[in-house]
Amino acid sequence: MNHFDSITLNKKNGQHLYIQLYNNIKDLIKSGSIKSQSKLPPIRKLANILEVNNVTVVSAYKLLEREGYVYKKVGSGTFVKDMNTRDIQNIVINEDVSSIGDNPNEYKKQGNLNNVINFASTAPTPNLFPVNDFKQVINEVLDRDGGNAFVYQESQGYYPLRASIHQYLEGYNIKSNINDIQIISGAQQGIDILTKSLVDYGDIVFTESPTYTGAIAAFKSREAKIIEIPIKEDGIDIISLENKLKNFRPKFIYVMPNFQNPTGYTYSKEKKERILKLAKEYNTYIIEDDYLSDLKFNDNKSYTLKSIDEEDRVIYIKSFSKIFMPGLRLAFMIIPKAIYTDVLSAKHTSDIFTSGLIQRAFDIYLRKGIWKKHIINMETLYKKRLEKMTESLKKHLPKNVKWGKPNGGLNFWISLPNGYSSNELYKLCSKNGIIFVPGSLFYVDQKDNQHFRLSIASIDWDEIDLSVKKLSNLIRQFLEDSNEGQIPMDVYTPFL
Amino acid sequence: MNHFDSITLNKKNGQHLYIQLYNNIKDLIKSGSIKSQSKLPPIRKLANILEVNNVTVVSAYKLLEREGYVYKKVGSGTFVKDMNTRDIQNIVINEDVSSIGDNPNEYKKQGNLNNVINFASTAPTPNLFPVNDFKQVINEVLDRDGGNAFVYQESQGYYPLRASIHQYLEGYNIKSNINDIQIISGAQQGIDILTKSLVDYGDIVFTESPTYTGAIAAFKSREAKIIEIPIKEDGIDIISLENKLKNFRPKFIYVMPNFQNPTGYTYSKEKKERILKLAKEYNTYIIEDDYLSDLKFNDNKSYTLKSIDEEDRVIYIKSFSKIFMPGLRLAFMIIPKAIYTDVLSAKHTSDIFTSGLIQRAFDIYLRKGIWKKHIINMETLYKKRLEKMTESLKKHLPKNVKWGKPNGGLNFWISLPNGYSSNELYKLCSKNGIIFVPGSLFYVDQKDNQHFRLSIASIDWDEIDLSVKKLSNLIRQFLEDSNEGQIPMDVYTPFL
């Protein structure tokens, strides 16, 4: 506690006390005076020591949490985050996902790596974008609609686009109603809007664990209590899910049933049916975040929950970023009737409407079937990469490093032996021109752990083998170097 | 209370109890069984009667509030909203601002009016959009950047655009730092992101009264307590503001110091200086929503608070929707350093980034000075309309209808004699082919009142006189018809 005793706040200098307190604690964390994973003093205690209101301490802790210095564990207090995780997260959040993840350009801009091997990104590279086709449809819209392409658009979305999407969904056996379709500016906005509509301060939501970082951030922004349910190779752990449902009333369960991010796992038929039944039994919604099911690959397992949802319990989010172009900033949701008005008004509060120009252009793109040609190209390309990647991982990875072959999609979930840190491995690899996403980013507490995600979206087929070999050698070196002097890391235990 | 006794909830039919309760109360309100302005039963009382949890009633009331059926008064309970206001608000929120406001196309789509006189919209009409210039810059970007126009973009915004904006701001005497500029997908998103960053459940914010509907909605979405400070012809009521500051600690004061929406009022030099001093003294932020100060018209009074902000207390939001094109979905903010990281991460959670294509195109548009040409055109055009409008209002409006000439901008704030309802007038006018925005939409409780807003953005110069004459005749008819049998409406008293 000595470090906290030494904090002095100046009530007269005009800066909010909580910001002063935030800065003081931040400095203590950064300087290493307060160690990672140590607990911050209880609120009243610190308020007493510093002779300030409880509210001041609460606000400072909240700010520390938002800025990624600490994390809260329900019922046990506030803890200092691992600073490696924070540094990596900072690249992701503040300098953009892209820097580490989805945009090699940005990474280059930082001058770190000129020929980075990018296993981090899940977005296609610009050379795969159908820019010429899209340029043509944009010009077609501008010639056809003139200024009308730039007027206020309905918040729900441009009607002809919703009609095209309705058609497109039939190809995936999803029955929809044009009026249940809500256009959004990307899947992240969809998650954010749903959170706004359904989650109030302190409400509970369930997620798979690990899960998509951006969803965790959106749920935290409404101060939701997030309960993580482990995911296995055949989908969410149903027993754990049912146990939690007996004790908690989540507003929804957020899942990616096909080629899950980050694990690449796909739900079995049984699990798809079970989770729908549980949602009915416990009267909750399922948010199905579908970013890839269009890429069907080998089998027909990648059908969506929405296609078998008879109870209108699935809120379906479809992104076009991962198969088309991330910069499109266009996605859609299918919204159950019971919550429709609420979601629409949250969309209105968020940004009023999504770009009319882009909606009109994408409408033509879908309507004329240009979309299908692109999907088939991407399917062929990614399928080849996925197979090559599987082959190379088999050949090169050390035997004590575990992974499974995904049914499709883009992601491989790799596990180092117990006690090894993927944050540390990340540091070694990024210095040597290879990036991926460390597992810490996919958990609520962002604690360092032994897992990491490799994606094939930004690696050309003919570079895969050599890249995996290089990565495997670095892993081998890392495991050997860490063998001595390494303080074993706790194996990750899901929160709650 | 009899109506509430009659409600029956079915615990077994699988639908959330709170949704059943919501539907029941909604039906009672719609059928007129519960009258407008009547108070709903206290939460515990209703929970007891219906034998449900308090939480069920709380959730049902919240849903009713969100859907616009009721409003909350701090400290006194939940009240049924005036259904006229709700109907009109519904057009605005659910069928888009545009239908009533900013997009005559949408209105036409509903088949109501083919030759509507639109005094409601504050957005320029499509014929004024510089579509050809913009088409050219879009194609320039596509040819220059190819796929890179569609990759992930930094959340903060495309660097060259931020540099262009920095330049542009110098023309308005605003000193900025390229790194303090945050690109957003429209001003509404800016307000939403700031609310997310700064406002927690139950926090207090101050607004002018009346104020922009979209801001009220964003603040409500975080369950902020909104305290309204009346605005006068020379700006916010400083005495009232200071009194409130003595008793409450707002997270920020949300203002439009130039050509305020909806009143058209502009702050005097003294008030601009006073509000900055008060923000310093009471240690809070000011959000300056600047949607029009570029249109300078007669004088130099329309300088921004940001241009005289020496304490980094003004969060500046600049929309391009009202002078350029609403469909652009592009705006920016200047963010004080102390809250920068927080705002950036809220932007990331909201939609990751704003369309790179549009950012790049608008960068060229600013950089090459095409922007200036457009501003000058708009200035000339709007100035002529403003003068014509002033002249026509003087000539035609009944003498007991009050209004003032704005210094610039687009809006006139008109007041019927005490006790007359602008919602009712709206109904009469819209049936007769004239639309405007009733005052109820600009207040937190959305209670019917005697004011309304007329805007000149969608009325051609040569139609103004005839349109104002037609409107004035309808007002005259309305005042006469209402004279008998009209239950006098309470004069609006600001909330708190």
Side-chain angles (χ1 to χ4, degrees):
Chain A
M1 288 289 297
N2 341 16
H3 298 301
F4 294 95
D5 288 334
S6 70
I7 293 174
T8 49
L9 307 179
N10 181 342
K11 295 191 181 176
K12 285 181 186 155
N13 84 353
Q15 194 183 33
H16 282 294
L17 285 178
Y18 81 94
I19 291 183
Q20 293 184 41
L21 180 55
Y22 158 76
N23 283 324
N24 270 284
I25 301 179
K26 185 180 76 178
D27 291 345
L28 288 170
I29 294 174
K30 280 181 140 179
S31 67
S33 307
I34 314 179
K35 295 266 172 294
S36 85
Q37 303 306 334
S38 65
K39 192 179 163 181
L40 295 187
I43 295 185
R44 283 193 197 178
K45 197 164 173 183
L46 188 56
N48 274 338
I49 295 176
L50 302 175
E51 296 174 350
V52 294
N53 280 331
N54 288 350
V55 178
T56 304
V57 181
V58 169
S59 305
Y61 281 15
K62 266 190 191 159
L63 195 52
L64 285 164
E65 193 187 2
R66 282 191 182 161
E67 300 293 304
Y69 290 100
V70 303
Y71 64 95
K72 248 192 286 191
K73 250 188 186 162
V74 178
S76 52
T78 301
F79 295 83
V80 177
K81 213 183 254 181
D82 189 301
M83 278 303 99
N84 287 340
T85 303
R86 190 181 182 271
D87 291 345
I88 293 164
Q89 184 200 6
N90 252 348
I91 303 176
V92 176
I93 302 295
N94 296 333
E95 283 147 51
D96 203 24
V97 176
S98 44
S99 336
I100 182 178
D102 296 312
N103 180 359
N105 286 343
E106 293 300 325
Y107 211 84
K108 279 178 198 161
K109 200 197 67 194
Q110 296 171 33
N112 293 5
L113 296 163
N114 271 311
N115 278 304
V116 62
I117 296 174
N118 185 347
F119 283 119
S121 177
T122 55
T125 44
N127 60 315
L128 300 178
F129 296 168
V131 179
N132 286 332
D133 284 345
F134 207 70
K135 183 178 169 187
Q136 210 170 310
V137 292
I138 284 183
N139 279 293
E140 198 173 327
V141 169
L142 290 171
D143 293 339
R144 185 190 68 186
D145 301 343
N148 286 318
F150 295 103
V151 296
Y152 273 94
Q153 206 69 55
E154 280 180 282
S155 288
Q156 187 176 2
Y158 179 59
Y159 188 88
L161 173 61
R162 286 188 284 126
S164 297
I165 286 172
H166 169 75
Q167 278 287 332
Y168 153 91
L169 284 167
E170 286 187 349
Y172 295 92
N173 296 315
I174 296 177
K175 284 179 209 90
S176 70
N177 184 310
I178 296 178
N179 287 325
D180 301 338
I181 294 170
Q182 170 69 53
I183 305 293
I184 44 179
S185 314
Q188 179 68 37
Q189 184 181 65
I191 297 170
D192 187 52
I193 284 175
L194 291 173
T195 312
K196 234 183 232 167
S197 320
L198 300 171
V199 176
D200 281 318
Y201 178 91
D203 280 345
I204 292 166
V205 306
F206 284 11
T207 67
E208 295 158 340
S209 177
T211 189
Y212 166 54
T213 322
I216 296 175
F219 303 153
K220 281 187 178 172
S221 80
R222 292 286 286 188
E223 314 236 354
K225 286 183 189 143
I226 305 171
I227 292 181
E228 296 173 284
I229 318 284
I231 183 163
K232 301 183 165 182
E233 298 216 2
D234 64 344
I236 199 163
D237 181 335
I238 288 284
I239 294 166
S240 166
L241 174 63
E242 188 158 12
N243 280 333
K244 299 283 190 237
L245 281 170
K246 282 179 186 152
N247 294 305
F248 300 97
R249 291 272 147 169
K251 290 287 171 170
F252 53 72
I253 310 167
Y254 170 80
V255 296
M256 285 167 279
N258 295 298
F259 322 135
Q260 201 253 5
N261 181 13
T263 61
Y265 301 157
T266 293
Y267 283 39
S268 65
K269 182 170 176 291
E270 293 68 30
K271 288 208 168 169
K272 282 182 180 168
E273 287 161 5
R274 282 287 285 149
I275 194 173
L276 283 173
K277 276 192 192 135
L278 286 174
K280 183 182 175 189
E281 199 176 328
Y282 291 92
N283 199 5
T284 189
Y285 289 109
I286 295 173
I287 298 181
E288 174 174 35
D289 186 349
D290 178 15
Y291 71 117
L292 272 185
S293 76
D294 319 50
L295 297 187
K296 280 195 213 143
F297 299 112
N298 316 312
D299 49 44
N300 287 317
K301 284 184 195 161
S302 62
Y303 61 87
T304 59
L305 286 184
K306 190 67 199 168
S307 67
I308 53 167
D309 169 33
E310 287 167 9
E311 302 276 333
D312 210 15
R313 293 209 173 261
V314 175
I315 306 168
Y316 178 80
I317 308 181
K318 177 77 201 164
S319 162
F320 295 115
S321 297
K322 303 295 184 258
I323 351 179
F324 191 57
M325 312 194 281
L328 198 64
R329 302 286 76 207
L330 186 73
F332 71 88
M333 302 196 282
I334 308 175
I335 306 290
K337 295 213 188 333
I339 58 169
Y340 192 81
T341 330
D342 231 16
V343 170
L344 186 55
S345 102
K347 165 68 180 170
H348 196 275
T349 311
S350 296
D351 68 352
I352 311 183
F353 64 98
T354 296
S355 163
L357 175 64
I358 299 295
Q359 289 193 61
R360 283 159 202 258
F362 200 68
D363 171 45
I364 298 181
Y365 195 80
L366 278 181
R367 201 172 282 272
K368 290 197 169 168
I370 318 176
W371 169 253
K372 272 188 192 144
K373 189 182 77 184
H374 178 68
I375 282 277
I376 290 167
N377 286 344
M378 295 297 284
E379 238 175 58
T380 318
L381 189 85
Y382 278 174
K383 191 176 167 182
K384 271 183 67 185
R385 287 190 193 170
L386 196 78
E387 275 162 13
K388 187 72 181 172
M389 184 78 177
T390 307
E391 196 184 291
S392 302
L393 287 171
K394 253 186 213 157
K395 199 160 93 192
H396 301 298
L397 267 191
K399 292 289 162 269
N400 52 352
V401 172
K402 304 293 175 201
W403 59 283
K405 189 196 169 183
N407 282 316
L410 309 164
N411 298 323
F412 291 76
W413 188 239
I414 317 283
S415 304
L416 297 172
N418 285 352
Y420 288 91
S421 148
S422 64
N423 279 351
E424 291 298 327
L425 176 65
Y426 174 80
K427 284 200 266 183
L428 175 69
C429 290
S430 67
K431 263 181 233 152
N432 286 279
I434 299 187
I435 58 169
F436 54 76
V437 184
S440 52
L441 295 183
F442 301 105
Y443 294 92
V444 172
D445 65 5
Q446 303 198 316
K447 216 164 139 180
D448 193 6
N449 61 54
Q450 75 209 83
H451 313 286
F452 59 97
R453 187 190 77 184
L454 299 181
S455 306
I456 54 162
S458 288
I459 302 268
D460 282 345
W461 181 87
D462 55 5
E463 291 171 351
I464 288 179
D465 197 68
L466 209 63
S467 303
V468 171
K469 191 172 171 190
K470 195 173 165 192
L471 171 69
S472 300
N473 287 338
L474 284 168
I475 294 177
R476 225 165 253 119
Q477 180 194 329
F478 173 73
L479 293 178
E480 280 164 22
D481 288 356
S482 316
N483 252 344
E484 305 193 12
Q486 159 92 5
I487 302 157
M489 192 189 64
D490 283 345
V491 179
Y492 179 74
T493 343
F495 161 66
L496 271 184
Chain B
M1 286 291 298
N2 342 15
H3 297 302
F4 294 96
D5 288 335
S6 70
I7 293 175
T8 50
L9 306 179
N10 181 342
K11 295 192 181 179
K12 284 182 185 153
N13 84 352
Q15 194 183 32
H16 282 292
L17 286 178
Y18 81 95
I19 290 183
Q20 294 184 41
L21 180 55
Y22 158 78
N23 283 324
N24 271 285
I25 301 178
K26 186 180 75 178
D27 291 345
L28 290 170
I29 294 174
K30 280 181 137 178
S31 67
S33 308
I34 314 179
K35 294 267 173 294
S36 85
Q37 302 307 333
S38 65
K39 192 179 162 179
L40 296 187
I43 291 174
R44 283 192 195 176
K45 197 165 174 184
L46 188 56
N48 274 337
I49 296 174
L50 302 175
E51 297 175 350
V52 294
N53 280 332
N54 288 351
V55 179
T56 304
V57 181
V58 170
S59 305
Y61 281 16
K62 266 190 191 159
L63 195 51
L64 285 164
E65 193 188 2
R66 283 193 182 160
E67 300 293 305
Y69 290 101
V70 303
Y71 65 94
K72 249 193 283 191
K73 251 189 188 163
V74 177
S76 51
T78 301
F79 296 83
V80 176
K81 214 183 254 183
D82 187 301
M83 277 305 98
N84 286 340
T85 302
R86 191 183 179 270
D87 291 345
I88 293 164
Q89 183 199 7
N90 252 350
I91 304 175
V92 177
I93 301 295
N94 296 335
E95 283 147 53
D96 203 24
V97 177
S98 44
S99 336
I100 181 178
D102 296 313
N103 181 0
N105 285 343
E106 292 301 325
Y107 210 83
K108 279 179 199 159
K109 199 196 67 194
Q110 298 171 33
N112 294 5
L113 296 164
N114 271 312
N115 277 305
V116 64
I117 296 174
N118 186 346
F119 283 119
S121 177
T122 55
T125 44
N127 59 315
L128 299 179
F129 296 168
V131 179
N132 286 331
D133 284 345
F134 207 69
K135 182 177 169 187
Q136 209 170 310
V137 291
I138 284 183
N139 279 293
E140 199 174 326
V141 168
L142 289 170
D143 292 339
R144 184 191 69 188
D145 300 343
N148 287 318
F150 295 103
V151 296
Y152 274 95
Q153 206 68 55
E154 280 179 281
S155 288
Q156 187 175 2
Y158 178 59
Y159 188 88
L161 173 61
R162 286 188 283 126
S164 296
I165 287 172
H166 169 76
Q167 278 286 330
Y168 154 90
L169 285 167
E170 286 188 349
Y172 296 91
N173 295 315
I174 296 178
K175 284 178 208 92
S176 70
N177 185 309
I178 296 178
N179 288 324
D180 300 337
I181 295 169
Q182 170 70 52
I183 305 294
I184 44 181
S185 314
Q188 180 67 37
Q189 183 180 65
I191 297 170
D192 187 52
I193 284 176
L194 291 173
T195 312
K196 233 182 231 167
S197 320
L198 299 171
V199 177
D200 281 319
Y201 179 89
D203 280 345
I204 292 165
V205 305
F206 284 11
T207 66
E208 294 158 342
S209 176
T211 190
Y212 167 55
T213 322
I216 295 175
F219 304 153
K220 280 187 178 172
S221 80
R222 293 285 286 189
E223 314 236 355
K225 286 182 189 143
I226 305 171
I227 292 181
E228 297 173 283
I229 318 284
I231 184 164
K232 301 182 164 182
E233 298 215 1
D234 64 344
I236 199 163
D237 181 336
I238 287 284
I239 294 167
S240 166
L241 174 62
E242 188 157 11
N243 280 333
K244 299 283 191 238
L245 281 170
K246 282 179 185 152
N247 294 305
F248 301 98
R249 292 271 145 169
K251 291 287 172 172
F252 52 74
I253 309 167
Y254 169 81
V255 296
M256 284 166 279
N258 294 299
F259 322 135
Q260 201 253 5
N261 181 13
T263 61
Y265 301 157
T266 294
Y267 283 38
S268 65
K269 184 171 174 289
E270 294 68 32
K271 288 207 168 169
K272 282 182 179 166
E273 286 161 6
R274 282 288 286 149
I275 195 174
L276 283 172
K277 277 192 191 135
L278 286 173
K280 185 184 174 186
E281 199 176 326
Y282 291 92
N283 200 5
T284 189
Y285 289 108
I286 295 173
I287 298 181
E288 175 175 33
D289 187 348
D290 178 15
Y291 71 119
L292 272 185
S293 75
D294 318 51
L295 298 186
K296 280 193 214 146
F297 300 113
N298 316 312
D299 50 43
N300 288 315
K301 283 184 195 159
S302 63
Y303 61 88
T304 60
L305 286 184
K306 190 66 198 169
S307 67
I308 54 166
D309 169 32
E310 286 168 8
E311 301 276 334
D312 211 15
R313 294 210 172 260
V314 175
I315 305 168
Y316 178 80
I317 308 181
K318 177 76 201 164
S319 162
F320 294 115
S321 297
K322 302 295 184 260
I323 349 180
F324 192 56
M325 312 194 281
L328 197 65
R329 301 288 76 208
L330 187 72
F332 72 88
M333 302 195 281
I334 309 175
I335 307 290
K337 296 214 188 331
I339 58 169
Y340 194 80
T341 330
D342 231 17
V343 170
L344 186 54
S345 100
K347 165 67 181 169
H348 196 273
T349 310
S350 297
D351 67 352
I352 310 184
F353 64 98
T354 296
S355 162
L357 175 64
I358 299 295
Q359 288 193 63
R360 283 159 202 256
F362 199 68
D363 171 44
I364 298 182
Y365 196 78
L366 278 181
R367 200 173 283 272
K368 290 197 170 168
I370 318 176
W371 169 252
K372 273 188 193 145
K373 190 180 77 184
H374 178 68
I375 283 277
I376 291 169
N377 286 344
M378 295 297 283
E379 237 175 58
T380 318
L381 190 85
Y382 279 173
K383 193 176 163 181
K384 271 182 67 185
R385 287 189 192 171
L386 197 78
E387 275 161 13
K388 188 71 178 172
M389 184 80 178
T390 307
E391 196 184 290
S392 301
L393 288 171
K394 255 187 212 157
K395 199 160 94 193
H396 301 299
L397 267 191
K399 292 292 164 266
N400 53 351
V401 171
K402 303 294 175 200
W403 59 284
K405 189 196 169 183
N407 282 316
L410 308 164
N411 298 323
F412 291 76
W413 188 238
I414 317 283
S415 303
L416 298 171
N418 285 351
Y420 288 91
S421 148
S422 65
N423 279 350
E424 291 299 327
L425 176 65
Y426 175 80
K427 285 199 266 183
L428 174 69
C429 289
S430 67
K431 263 181 233 152
N432 286 279
I434 298 187
I435 58 169
F436 54 77
V437 184
S440 52
L441 295 183
F442 301 104
Y443 293 91
V444 172
D445 65 4
Q446 303 197 317
K447 216 166 140 179
D448 194 4
N449 61 56
Q450 76 209 82
H451 313 286
F452 59 96
R453 187 190 76 184
L454 298 181
S455 306
I456 54 162
S458 288
I459 302 268
D460 282 345
W461 181 86
D462 54 4
E463 292 170 352
I464 289 180
D465 197 67
L466 210 63
S467 304
V468 171
K469 191 172 172 189
K470 195 173 166 194
L471 172 69
S472 300
N473 287 337
L474 284 167
I475 295 178
R476 226 167 252 118
Q477 180 194 329
F478 173 74
L479 293 178
E480 281 164 21
D481 288 357
S482 315
N483 253 344
E484 303 190 14
Q486 159 91 3
I487 303 157
M489 192 190 66
D490 283 345
V491 179
Y492 178 76
T493 343
F495 160 68
L496 270 186

Short mmCIF file of all heavy atoms in Angstrom, two decimals, chain A residues 22-40:
data_model
loop_
_atom_site.label_atom_id
_atom_site.label_comp_id
_atom_site.label_asym_id
_atom_site.label_seq_id
_atom_site.Cartn_x
_atom_site.Cartn_y
_atom_site.Cartn_z
N TYR A 22 -5.95 9.19 -11.60
CA TYR A 22 -5.70 8.30 -12.73
C TYR A 22 -4.24 8.40 -13.19
O TYR A 22 -3.54 7.40 -13.34
CB TYR A 22 -6.66 8.66 -13.87
CG TYR A 22 -6.23 8.22 -15.24
CD1 TYR A 22 -6.34 6.89 -15.63
CD2 TYR A 22 -5.69 9.14 -16.15
CE1 TYR A 22 -5.94 6.48 -16.90
CE2 TYR A 22 -5.28 8.74 -17.41
CZ TYR A 22 -5.40 7.41 -17.78
OH TYR A 22 -5.00 7.02 -19.03
N ASN A 23 -3.78 9.65 -13.37
CA ASN A 23 -2.40 9.84 -13.84
C ASN A 23 -1.38 9.28 -12.86
O ASN A 23 -0.39 8.67 -13.25
CB ASN A 23 -2.13 11.33 -14.10
CG ASN A 23 -2.76 11.78 -15.42
OD1 ASN A 23 -2.80 11.02 -16.38
ND2 ASN A 23 -3.29 13.00 -15.44
N ASN A 24 -1.64 9.50 -11.57
CA ASN A 24 -0.73 8.99 -10.55
C ASN A 24 -0.62 7.46 -10.60
O ASN A 24 0.48 6.91 -10.59
CB ASN A 24 -1.22 9.41 -9.16
CG ASN A 24 -0.65 10.75 -8.73
OD1 ASN A 24 0.51 10.82 -8.35
ND2 ASN A 24 -1.45 11.80 -8.83
N ILE A 25 -1.79 6.82 -10.63
CA ILE A 25 -1.76 5.34 -10.63
C ILE A 25 -1.16 4.83 -11.92
O ILE A 25 -0.37 3.89 -11.93
CB ILE A 25 -3.18 4.77 -10.41
CG1 ILE A 25 -3.74 5.28 -9.07
CG2 ILE A 25 -3.14 3.25 -10.41
CD1 ILE A 25 -5.15 4.80 -8.75
N LYS A 26 -1.52 5.49 -13.03
CA LYS A 26 -0.96 5.09 -14.33
C LYS A 26 0.57 5.12 -14.28
O LYS A 26 1.24 4.18 -14.72
CB LYS A 26 -1.46 6.06 -15.40
CG LYS A 26 -1.06 5.69 -16.81
CD LYS A 26 -1.61 6.70 -17.82
CE LYS A 26 -0.80 7.99 -17.78
NZ LYS A 26 -1.26 8.98 -18.77
N ASP A 27 1.12 6.20 -13.69
CA ASP A 27 2.57 6.30 -13.62
C ASP A 27 3.17 5.18 -12.76
O ASP A 27 4.21 4.62 -13.10
CB ASP A 27 2.98 7.67 -13.04
CG ASP A 27 2.66 8.80 -14.04
OD1 ASP A 27 2.40 8.49 -15.22
OD2 ASP A 27 2.64 9.97 -13.62
N LEU A 28 2.47 4.88 -11.65
CA LEU A 28 2.96 3.79 -10.79
C LEU A 28 2.97 2.46 -11.55
O LEU A 28 3.89 1.65 -11.39
CB LEU A 28 2.07 3.67 -9.54
CG LEU A 28 2.22 4.80 -8.50
CD1 LEU A 28 1.13 4.70 -7.44
CD2 LEU A 28 3.61 4.78 -7.85
N ILE A 29 1.96 2.26 -12.36
CA ILE A 29 1.90 1.00 -13.13
C ILE A 29 3.00 0.98 -14.19
O ILE A 29 3.74 0.02 -14.33
CB ILE A 29 0.52 0.83 -13.81
CG1 ILE A 29 -0.58 0.65 -12.75
CG2 ILE A 29 0.53 -0.36 -14.76
CD1 ILE A 29 -2.00 0.62 -13.29
N LYS A 30 3.10 2.10 -14.91
CA LYS A 30 4.09 2.15 -16.00
C LYS A 30 5.52 2.01 -15.49
O LYS A 30 6.36 1.40 -16.14
CB LYS A 30 3.97 3.47 -16.76
CG LYS A 30 2.82 3.48 -17.77
CD LYS A 30 2.79 4.81 -18.48
CE LYS A 30 2.48 4.64 -19.97
NZ LYS A 30 2.42 5.95 -20.64
N SER A 31 5.78 2.60 -14.32
CA SER A 31 7.15 2.54 -13.78
C SER A 31 7.42 1.17 -13.16
O SER A 31 8.54 0.88 -12.77
CB SER A 31 7.32 3.61 -12.71
OG SER A 31 6.50 3.29 -11.59
N GLY A 32 6.38 0.34 -13.06
CA GLY A 32 6.59 -0.98 -12.47
C GLY A 32 6.48 -0.98 -10.95
O GLY A 32 6.64 -2.02 -10.31
N SER A 33 6.19 0.19 -10.35
CA SER A 33 6.05 0.23 -8.88
C SER A 33 4.87 -0.62 -8.43
O SER A 33 4.92 -1.23 -7.36
CB SER A 33 5.84 1.67 -8.41
OG SER A 33 6.83 2.51 -8.91
N ILE A 34 3.80 -0.63 -9.21
CA ILE A 34 2.71 -1.57 -8.93
C ILE A 34 2.82 -2.68 -9.96
O ILE A 34 2.81 -2.42 -11.17
CB ILE A 34 1.32 -0.92 -9.05
CG1 ILE A 34 1.29 0.45 -8.35
CG2 ILE A 34 0.26 -1.82 -8.47
CD1 ILE A 34 -0.06 1.15 -8.45
N LYS A 35 2.93 -3.89 -9.49
CA LYS A 35 3.19 -5.02 -10.41
C LYS A 35 1.91 -5.48 -11.12
O LYS A 35 0.81 -5.31 -10.61
CB LYS A 35 3.74 -6.20 -9.62
CG LYS A 35 5.11 -5.96 -9.00
CD LYS A 35 6.24 -6.46 -9.92
CE LYS A 35 7.61 -6.05 -9.38
NZ LYS A 35 7.88 -4.59 -9.37
N SER A 36 2.12 -6.12 -12.27
CA SER A 36 0.97 -6.64 -12.99
C SER A 36 0.32 -7.75 -12.20
O SER A 36 0.97 -8.47 -11.46
CB SER A 36 1.39 -7.12 -14.38
OG SER A 36 1.87 -8.43 -14.33
N GLN A 37 -0.97 -7.86 -12.35
CA GLN A 37 -1.83 -8.82 -11.63
C GLN A 37 -2.00 -8.50 -10.15
O GLN A 37 -2.64 -9.24 -9.41
CB GLN A 37 -1.36 -10.29 -11.79
CG GLN A 37 -1.27 -10.79 -13.23
CD GLN A 37 -2.55 -10.60 -14.02
OE1 GLN A 37 -3.64 -10.55 -13.46
NE2 GLN A 37 -2.44 -10.45 -15.33
N SER A 38 -1.41 -7.39 -9.67
CA SER A 38 -1.67 -7.06 -8.26
C SER A 38 -2.99 -6.29 -8.18
O SER A 38 -3.47 -5.71 -9.15
CB SER A 38 -0.52 -6.25 -7.67
OG SER A 38 -0.40 -5.01 -8.30
N LYS A 39 -3.57 -6.34 -6.98
CA LYS A 39 -4.91 -5.79 -6.80
C LYS A 39 -4.84 -4.34 -6.36
O LYS A 39 -4.01 -4.00 -5.51
CB LYS A 39 -5.62 -6.64 -5.73
CG LYS A 39 -7.10 -6.38 -5.64
CD LYS A 39 -7.76 -7.26 -4.57
CE LYS A 39 -9.11 -6.69 -4.21
NZ LYS A 39 -9.78 -7.49 -3.17
N LEU A 40 -5.68 -3.49 -6.90
CA LEU A 40 -5.74 -2.11 -6.43
C LEU A 40 -6.51 -2.08 -5.10
O LEU A 40 -7.34 -2.95 -4.84
CB LEU A 40 -6.45 -1.22 -7.45
CG LEU A 40 -5.77 -1.03 -8.83
CD1 LEU A 40 -6.53 0.02 -9.64
CD2 LEU A 40 -4.31 -0.61 -8.68
#
